[in-house]
Amino acid sequence: YRLYDKKDKRRFLDRLADGGMDESWVLKRPHKDGGKGVTVLGPNSKELLDTANKLRNDPRFGGKHPKHPDRYIIQKYVNRLLPYRGRKFDLRVYCLVASSVPLVAFYHDGTLRIALPKFDENDFSSQQAHLTNWSAQKTAQGTKKNADQARASFEELASYLEDYVSQNPRLSHIKDPISHVRDQIKDALATVVHVFRDLSFSVDAEENGKKLCGAENGFSFLGGDFMIDSDLKVWITEMQSGPGTSHDAKS
């Protein structure tokens, strides 16, 4: 929900009135990185109640315009997440859009970003247990050590998923867990790239009689963040333009 948009703001408040206070949410300031501007709001928490009250009573909260310095978005927290060895993680993957017309995009595996504290989905006392960004972990512990514990490779994930599926008969239909996850990521990236290509470049082009926006010799390097739930369903949480490529850990 874009809280700076009146319709989205109203929709979110209606959602809260219809059971949304019993759910977990993630409040974000867009165009921030390093875990800055992100707050996890637990169900029926003081933080969630305060956010709801500000939205109802303070017309400035949430931002009135996309360029407002205090604008916010809020999204549903993904529940029933699959932890990695007892800790929360997400996947940072990469996508190179080499051409918009015709649309040509290349996918590349990235790494797991792992929170250092032990993960309990129902415990919101530690924001760092819910934020996987290395900058947030580094700030929380006050040191750059343990970087290797905060990252893992896709090869390590593949082995972990194999063990997880073998221990859960309800997932026996998934014969190749890492491919199952990777294919969902690729499908999501393809959708995002296709939807946004018309907004990404400025030179007019046409395809099948439809005017598109294309750019000669233009490309884009994107980062995508994904989470995996306990059913191995993949959820996209964020896309970034010009993402950093970490060198803090071996993975």
Side-chain angles (χ1 to χ4, degrees):
Y1 299 91
R2 299 164 298 168
L3 299 182
Y4 54 85
D5 179 88
K6 287 184 178 180
K7 290 183 178 179
D8 266 16
K9 181 177 178 179
R10 184 70 261 164
R11 287 175 57 228
F12 175 64
L13 288 173
D14 288 345
R15 173 71 178 274
L16 289 183
D18 189 29
M21 288 298 297
D22 297 326
E23 299 174 318
S24 308
W25 299 89
V26 182
L27 184 67
K28 294 182 177 181
R29 288 187 176 181
H31 306 300
K32 298 283 187 179
D33 57 18
K36 302 181 185 72
V38 179
T39 305
V40 180
L41 309 175
N44 298 299
S45 63
K46 179 180 182 299
E47 292 78 9
L48 180 56
L49 182 61
D50 287 347
T51 298
N53 287 334
K54 287 180 181 178
L55 287 170
R56 293 187 185 101
N57 302 317
D58 185 351
R60 298 169 299 175
F61 184 77
K64 295 181 179 180
H65 187 273
K67 294 184 179 179
H68 191 284
D70 291 324
R71 71 175 179 142
Y72 287 94
I73 61 173
I74 196 163
Q75 63 192 75
K76 182 73 177 65
Y77 186 96
V78 180
N79 295 110
R80 298 180 61 248
L81 286 172
L82 174 69
Y84 182 78
R85 308 193 188 284
R87 294 176 289 162
K88 184 177 179 180
F89 76 97
D90 72 356
L91 307 174
R92 163 59 62 86
V93 302
Y94 300 98
C95 178
L96 174 66
V97 183
S99 168
S100 59
V101 183
L103 184 58
V104 179
F106 297 93
Y107 164 86
H108 198 285
D109 286 345
T111 60
L112 282 68
R113 305 187 306 177
I114 308 168
L116 294 176
K118 288 293 184 179
F119 178 57
D120 180 347
E121 187 175 284
N122 299 309
D123 182 0
F124 293 90
S125 60
S126 169
Q127 290 281 310
Q128 279 64 43
H130 295 269
L131 299 178
T132 58
N133 187 284
W134 170 235
S135 295
Q137 300 299 316
K138 185 170 55 178
T139 300
Q141 65 175 355
T143 176
K144 295 182 179 181
K145 69 178 182 180
N146 300 321
D148 282 326
Q149 296 179 33
R151 293 274 181 173
S153 67
F154 262 61
E155 289 77 13
E156 291 171 298
L157 175 64
S159 176
Y160 184 77
L161 293 180
E162 290 280 357
D163 291 341
Y164 177 72
V165 168
S166 69
Q167 296 167 17
N168 289 272
R170 63 187 174 82
L171 301 176
S172 61
H173 61 285
I174 301 175
K175 304 305 180 184
D176 186 352
I178 193 65
S179 294
H180 178 76
V181 166
R182 189 182 283 120
D183 288 347
Q184 292 178 74
I185 292 174
K186 289 181 179 179
D187 285 345
L189 289 174
T191 299
V192 169
V193 170
H194 187 271
V195 167
F196 281 96
R197 68 169 174 171
D198 294 5
L199 304 174
S200 300
F201 301 92
S202 60
V203 180
D204 287 343
E206 290 190 4
E207 183 179 86
N208 299 325
K210 178 185 177 182
K211 181 166 284 190
L212 300 173
C213 293
E216 185 177 4
N217 299 324
F219 70 93
S220 183
F221 180 55
L222 305 173
D225 297 338
F226 295 83
M227 292 182 177
I228 307 173
D229 70 17
S230 59
D231 294 324
L232 298 197
K233 182 177 180 180
V234 172
W235 299 81
I236 184 170
T237 59
E238 191 171 271
M239 292 293 296
Q240 289 195 358
S241 59
T245 52
S246 173
H247 299 285
D248 291 318
K250 293 178 182 179
S251 60

